[in-house]
Amino acid sequence: MLEVCGLSVTRHHRTLLNNINVCFRPGELWVILGENGAGKSTLLSAISGLTPYDGEVRFHQRGLDRWADKALAQQRAFMQQQHALPFGFSLPELVAMGRTPHDETADHRWQQALHYLEALQLLNLTDRHTDNLSGGELQRVHFARCLTQVNGLSDDCQGRLLLLDEPTSALDLHHQHRVLNHTRTFVDKGNTAVVILHDLNLASCYADHIMLLKQGELLAMGSTAEVLTQNTLMDAYHTPMHISQHPTLNRPIIFSEPQEYPYAKNGTE
Amino acid sequence: MTGQVLHLGSPRLSLTLRYYVALCGLLLGCALLSLGFGPAGWDWQLAIAWLYPSGFDQFSTLQHNVVMHIRLPRFLLAVCIGALLAQTGAATQALCRNPLADPSIIGVSSGAAVFAVATIAFANRLGFSADLWLPITAFFGALLTTLLVYHLSRRGGHVQVTTLILVGVAVNALGFALIGLISFYANDGALRLINYWTMGSLAGASWHGLFSALPLFLVAIIGLLRLREPLSLLLLGEHEARSLGVNIARLKSHTVLLVALGVGAAVAVSGLIGFIGLVVPHMCRLLVGSHLSALMPISVLTGAVVMLLADWLARIVVTPAELPIGIITAFLGAPLFIYLLHRQQGVQHA
């Protein structure tokens, strides 16, 4: 359980996040939505304990700053937006790095890495190096690394936290669903995931709860049906929207309308 | 699919084991070469004579003394320096997340050299022993330069490749200018020593020098080896490493201290020997990949082998005289580095 109370982040006299209060419980998949620069990544890296913040963030009733680095790394994984790696690694090597916070033998790490490579359909690429992968393939490898870090091979892990910053931005449709399916399975075991997405329909299909941020403030928070409404989304994205119902899932589906240029110019994008 | 997973195992580990065996074989070969080779040619019996009590019976006292007091410490020193330079190179590259970073290229060695040269030139005039203070001053020189270069080339949390190399060029230029200035004020005896020493050499090896520097060598090599796992995680990026439980501030300060200690000790004993820290990790990376758990131990062995070969070449090229080993490593290292770089770029663009 991750409790966030009065979280604010200020950098260079600019408020990036203002007074965020939320509680992420086990068994919940949260999606954070919002325009560029709304503070999504700032929120995620603050609750991961990697960047300084004001206010209080408690993970399992203990303040984040009171966790030892290694103990925290055994419980939560953070997949960040990726940049190029300066050195090439083999895929099992890179994924096995996710297990370094756990005291395990190299062989055991390797087995778990192969398991998750298989789960993400990357096993046929194991003879390649990371510098020979496409952006989407590399993104799946990093996702596999983070999932390995908090999940491992045991099925009894609970209360773990998976933070994903745009994990599907470079993926094709099939792998977008595959990655979010794995996240769903992980959450259903009694863990928590907080995911930043830009695809509203993907968010609608997978989220239990949605947080909508705008200029560092919480604009809306609640279930998909509560947050994904026409007025809220138009307020957040300055784009004409229509909301419909998914033909098979009981979830909202969002259609955006192409805009005239002057409209876009007045908006943020 | 599951069967395939089990079958895959960890191929790199067994491959690494084969490299270890091959390198140990090479190291033994180099030992025979290094100990048995002299102006009179190569004698393998001389190379192994020290191993058993009656070994030197068939040789003269001169030969006994040459092996026991010149070649054996020189061999051990070459092994230590080679291992150390390769290791500090691999660690610096991980710290800067940049395959071109090497203590000799980014200016750390010349920083150590400035302090060491100043010690050689002025120690006797100021009334303290140069031998005793050389490793200490070289260590502080290396430490100051490492911190200077690292902070100058950091922009927004990242070490930029071009900035790092350019800062290295500037620091090297400044270092050599200072060495020139100090040489200007040095007396003739010190001048000869400085000149010989800036080109790097193992010719001054002695048991005394070896034993006084050995603790520093061991601390640096073993200390850096122990950091191989967190340093590997650092290659993913600072934030990634932190989210994997690495205490970045501690890791960085330990690495900088150990690299400075290693480079300082190496420079104090053998002068400026470049390119080992650049070329050896590159060669090893092509064999075992970038993960430092495999790369660092392999680099230690390869560094020792490469250094022994370079030292042997330094001894035979202009017999009976001897070339400074720094010249050999630069001649071997620079073209090989260009080739490796070229090949790596080819792989990346393929």
Side-chain angles (χ1 to χ4, degrees):
Chain A
M1 180 144 78
L2 186 76
E3 297 156 275
V4 179
C5 307
L7 175 78
S8 299
V9 176
T10 311
R11 294 267 185 289
H12 309 296
H13 309 294
R14 241 189 65 190
T15 304
L16 302 181
L17 277 178
N18 188 22
N19 193 25
I20 305 289
N21 294 287
V22 59
C23 183
F24 304 107
R25 291 185 181 81
E28 291 179 349
L29 198 163
W30 283 76
V31 170
I32 305 180
L33 296 175
E35 58 188 353
N36 295 148
K40 305 184 294 295
S41 297
T42 311
L43 174 62
L44 214 60
S45 67
I47 62 175
S48 71
L50 295 184
T51 49
Y53 54 83
D54 299 316
E56 203 170 357
V57 181
R58 280 193 300 271
F59 184 44
H60 294 313
Q61 282 87 47
R62 198 186 330 163
L64 268 189
D65 45 349
R66 293 180 53 221
W67 279 81
D69 293 331
K70 193 172 157 184
L72 189 59
Q74 291 170 353
Q75 299 278 326
R76 75 95 181 81
F78 181 20
M79 176 182 171
Q80 296 165 68
Q81 291 183 45
Q82 293 308 317
H83 36 92
L85 293 169
F87 296 95
F89 291 102
S90 80
L91 304 200
E93 246 173 13
L94 187 60
V95 176
M97 282 183 180
R99 292 307 288 178
T100 31
H102 308 265
D103 298 313
E104 293 168 339
T105 62
D107 226 34
H108 192 211
R109 285 179 188 169
W110 198 270
Q111 290 303 327
Q112 295 177 76
L114 290 176
H115 173 84
Y116 283 96
L117 284 170
E118 186 192 6
L120 286 147
Q121 296 188 313
L122 288 162
L123 212 52
N124 55 334
L125 302 178
T126 40
D127 55 336
R128 301 249 291 268
H129 271 73
T130 47
D131 37 15
N132 295 326
L133 294 180
S134 74
E137 286 164 342
L138 189 60
Q139 198 167 31
R140 276 150 62 201
V141 176
H142 280 295
F143 176 75
R145 171 173 64 80
C146 291
L147 201 57
T148 314
Q149 183 183 343
V150 281
N151 208 1
L153 285 182
S154 63
D155 278 331
D156 57 349
C157 71
Q158 282 187 343
R160 310 280 169 94
L161 178 64
L162 186 60
L163 306 171
L164 306 170
D165 193 348
E166 295 190 38
T168 58
S169 59
L171 302 186
D172 62 53
L173 195 64
H174 169 70
H175 285 108
Q176 288 180 357
H177 282 287
R178 216 177 167 86
V179 160
L180 287 169
N181 255 315
H182 278 291
T183 311
R184 181 81 255 171
T185 314
F186 169 73
V187 167
D188 287 345
K189 283 195 253 175
N191 301 296
T192 313
V194 185
V195 188
I196 294 177
L197 290 177
H198 276 299
D199 186 329
L200 299 178
N201 290 320
L202 214 53
S204 173
C205 287
Y206 286 94
D208 296 317
H209 301 271
I210 292 183
M211 268 178 99
L212 190 54
L213 294 180
K214 188 183 179 182
Q215 292 170 356
E217 307 264 356
L218 191 63
L219 189 67
M221 184 163 77
S223 68
T224 46
E226 285 164 1
V227 175
L228 299 178
T229 61
Q230 195 170 23
N231 287 340
T232 319
L233 289 177
M234 279 176 67
D235 189 8
Y237 290 100
H238 309 284
T239 305
M241 305 261 190
H242 298 284
I243 314 287
S244 179
Q245 198 70 16
H246 194 286
T248 54
L249 303 170
N250 184 26
R251 302 262 176 166
I253 286 291
I254 295 97
F255 301 96
S256 59
E257 260 181 37
Q259 313 158 47
E260 295 297 322
Y261 178 63
Y263 191 93
K265 201 176 166 188
N266 291 334
T268 42
E269 281 296 294
Chain B
M1 214 50 176
T2 319
Q4 198 187 344
V5 174
L6 292 174
H7 173 70
L8 256 168
S10 48
R12 182 155 278 174
L13 292 181
S14 60
L15 201 64
T16 310
L17 198 66
R18 260 181 268 171
Y19 289 128
Y20 277 123
V21 174
L23 280 169
C24 288
L26 268 175
L27 197 61
L28 275 179
C30 288
L32 288 179
L33 200 63
S34 170
L35 294 172
F37 199 87
W42 184 60
D43 187 344
W44 67 272
Q45 283 175 310
L46 192 59
I48 56 166
W50 58 279
L51 284 173
Y52 47 99
S54 59
F56 283 108
D57 287 356
Q58 52 172 316
F59 298 108
S60 65
T61 321
L62 179 68
Q63 283 172 310
H64 172 264
N65 284 340
V66 163
V67 170
M68 290 312 289
H69 298 294
I70 297 176
R71 290 188 197 164
L72 206 53
R74 182 175 186 149
F75 161 74
L76 291 174
L77 191 67
V79 168
C80 289
I81 299 274
L84 192 64
L85 291 179
Q87 189 81 299
T88 51
T92 315
Q93 284 151 27
L95 185 71
C96 299
R97 300 185 68 225
N98 178 350
L100 291 172
D102 166 66
S104 68
I105 287 180
I106 64 172
V108 176
S109 305
S110 52
V114 171
F115 278 62
V117 163
T119 313
I120 294 175
F122 303 124
N124 290 337
R125 286 190 213 170
L126 298 176
F128 55 87
S129 157
D131 275 359
L132 198 68
W133 282 90
L134 209 53
I136 298 164
T137 51
F139 162 64
F140 278 107
L143 185 63
L144 283 177
T145 332
T146 313
L147 292 174
L148 181 76
V149 169
Y150 187 74
H151 285 288
L152 282 180
S153 50
R154 260 172 82 90
R155 288 278 179 282
H158 293 282
V159 174
Q160 304 287 338
V161 183
T162 40
T163 324
L164 181 73
I165 303 301
L166 289 177
V167 169
V169 169
V171 170
N172 270 325
L174 186 66
F176 282 106
L178 285 171
I179 290 174
L181 187 68
I182 296 167
S183 312
F184 189 75
Y185 289 107
N187 59 29
D188 275 0
L191 199 60
R192 274 177 61 92
L193 203 58
I194 290 169
N195 189 29
Y196 190 63
W197 184 87
T198 45
M199 289 188 282
S201 174
L202 298 171
S206 65
W207 286 115
H208 171 73
L210 182 66
F211 282 129
S212 65
L214 198 61
L216 300 182
F217 291 161
L218 289 180
V219 167
I221 290 180
I222 295 170
L224 288 173
L225 263 179
R226 285 171 60 94
L227 294 178
R228 63 192 190 278
E229 197 149 69
L231 277 174
S232 295
L233 299 183
L234 190 60
L235 293 177
L236 299 180
E238 274 186 30
H239 269 84
E240 278 80 359
R242 281 185 62 198
S243 72
L244 283 162
V246 176
N247 184 336
I248 293 289
R250 200 172 62 189
L251 174 67
K252 278 184 179 170
S253 58
H254 285 188
T255 310
V256 166
L257 269 174
L258 288 168
V259 164
L261 190 69
V263 172
V267 165
V269 175
S270 63
L272 284 173
I273 301 175
F275 285 100
I276 296 284
L278 187 78
V279 169
V280 170
H282 259 282
M283 281 164 58
C284 298
R285 214 169 273 131
L286 295 177
L287 295 177
V288 298
S290 306
H291 201 292
L292 294 173
S293 293
L295 183 68
M296 273 194 163
I298 288 281
S299 289
V300 166
L301 282 176
T302 313
V305 168
V306 168
M307 191 58 121
L308 282 170
L309 287 175
D311 186 43
W312 178 67
L313 275 177
R315 281 157 61 185
I316 64 158
V317 172
V318 288
T319 39
E322 185 174 304
L323 274 181
I325 194 171
I327 294 176
I328 302 282
T329 56
F331 267 121
L332 292 176
L336 187 61
F337 174 60
I338 293 169
Y339 163 74
L340 291 172
L341 201 66
H342 190 69
R343 183 175 142 163
Q344 203 181 36
Q345 279 176 336
V347 169
Q348 273 169 0
H349 293 160

Coordinates of all heavy atoms in Angstrom, one line a residue, chain B residues 35 57 82 85 102 138 170 173 183 200 215 220 228 246 259 267 282-283 297 332:
Chain B
L35 N 60.5 -14.1 -18.1 CA 61.6 -14.4 -17.1 C 62.8 -15.0 -17.8 O 63.9 -14.9 -17.4 CB 61.0 -15.4 -16.1 CG 60.0 -14.9 -15.2 CD1 59.3 -16.0 -14.3 CD2 60.6 -13.8 -14.3
D57 N 71.6 -24.2 -10.1 CA 72.9 -24.9 -10.1 C 73.7 -24.8 -11.4 O 74.9 -24.6 -11.4 CB 72.7 -26.4 -9.7 CG 72.3 -26.5 -8.2 OD1 72.3 -25.4 -7.6 OD2 72.0 -27.6 -7.8
G82 N 49.5 -4.0 -15.4 CA 48.6 -4.3 -16.5 C 47.2 -4.6 -16.0 O 46.2 -4.0 -16.5
L85 N 45.7 -1.2 -14.6 CA 45.3 -0.2 -15.6 C 44.1 -0.6 -16.4 O 43.2 0.2 -16.7 CB 46.5 0.1 -16.6 CG 47.7 0.8 -16.0 CD1 48.8 1.0 -17.1 CD2 47.3 2.2 -15.5
D102 N 39.1 6.7 -20.4 CA 40.3 5.9 -19.9 C 41.1 6.9 -19.1 O 41.3 8.1 -19.5 CB 41.1 5.4 -21.0 CG 42.4 4.9 -20.6 OD1 42.5 3.9 -19.8 OD2 43.4 5.5 -21.0
A138 N 51.1 11.1 -6.0 CA 50.5 10.7 -7.3 C 49.0 10.4 -7.1 O 48.2 10.7 -7.9 CB 51.2 9.5 -7.9
A170 N 42.2 19.1 -22.6 CA 42.6 20.3 -22.0 C 43.4 20.0 -20.7 O 44.5 20.6 -20.5 CB 41.4 21.2 -21.6
A173 N 46.8 18.7 -21.7 CA 47.7 19.8 -22.2 C 48.2 20.6 -21.0 O 49.4 20.9 -20.9 CB 46.9 20.7 -23.1
S183 N 60.1 20.6 -15.1 CA 61.3 20.1 -15.6 C 62.3 21.3 -15.8 O 63.5 21.1 -15.6 CB 61.1 19.5 -17.0 OG 60.1 18.6 -17.0
G200 N 57.0 6.2 -19.4 CA 56.6 5.0 -18.8 C 57.6 3.8 -19.0 O 58.1 3.6 -20.1
P215 N 50.3 -3.2 -1.6 CA 49.0 -3.0 -0.9 C 48.0 -2.1 -1.6 O 46.8 -2.4 -1.7 CB 49.4 -2.4 0.4 CG 50.9 -2.7 0.6 CD 51.5 -2.8 -0.8
A220 N 43.1 -1.4 -4.7 CA 42.4 -0.9 -5.9 C 41.7 -2.0 -6.7 O 40.6 -1.9 -7.1 CB 43.4 -0.1 -6.8
R228 N 31.8 -4.5 -9.1 CA 31.5 -4.8 -10.5 C 30.0 -4.9 -10.7 O 29.5 -4.4 -11.8 CB 32.2 -6.0 -11.0 CG 31.8 -7.3 -10.3 CD 32.8 -8.4 -10.7 NE 32.4 -9.7 -10.2 CZ 32.5 -10.2 -9.0 NH1 33.2 -9.4 -8.1 NH2 32.1 -11.4 -8.6
V246 N 20.9 0.7 -5.9 CA 22.3 1.1 -5.7 C 22.3 2.5 -5.1 O 21.6 3.4 -5.4 CB 22.9 1.2 -7.1 CG1 24.4 1.7 -7.0 CG2 22.9 -0.2 -7.8
V259 N 39.8 4.3 -8.3 CA 40.5 4.6 -9.5 C 41.7 5.5 -9.3 O 42.8 5.3 -9.8 CB 39.5 5.2 -10.5 CG1 40.3 5.8 -11.7 CG2 38.5 4.2 -11.1
V267 N 51.1 5.1 -11.7 CA 51.9 6.2 -12.2 C 53.2 6.3 -11.3 O 54.3 6.6 -11.9 CB 51.1 7.5 -12.3 CG1 52.0 8.7 -12.5 CG2 50.1 7.4 -13.4
H282 N 38.0 -2.8 -24.1 CA 37.4 -2.9 -25.4 C 37.5 -4.3 -26.0 O 36.5 -4.9 -26.5 CB 38.0 -2.0 -26.4 CG 37.2 -0.7 -26.6 ND1 36.1 -0.7 -27.4 CD2 37.4 0.5 -26.0 CE1 35.6 0.5 -27.3 NE2 36.3 1.3 -26.5
M283 N 38.7 -4.9 -25.9 CA 39.0 -6.2 -26.5 C 38.1 -7.2 -25.7 O 37.4 -8.1 -26.3 CB 40.4 -6.6 -26.3 CG 41.4 -6.1 -27.3 SD 43.1 -6.2 -26.7 CE 43.3 -7.9 -26.5
P297 N 36.9 -9.3 -14.3 CA 37.9 -10.4 -14.1 C 38.7 -10.7 -15.3 O 39.9 -10.9 -15.3 CB 37.1 -11.6 -13.6 CG 35.8 -11.1 -13.2 CD 35.6 -9.8 -14.0
L332 N 50.9 0.2 -30.1 CA 49.9 -1.0 -30.2 C 48.5 -0.5 -30.0 O 47.6 -0.9 -30.7 CB 50.3 -2.0 -29.2 CG 51.5 -2.8 -29.3 CD1 51.7 -3.8 -28.2 CD2 51.6 -3.6 -30.6

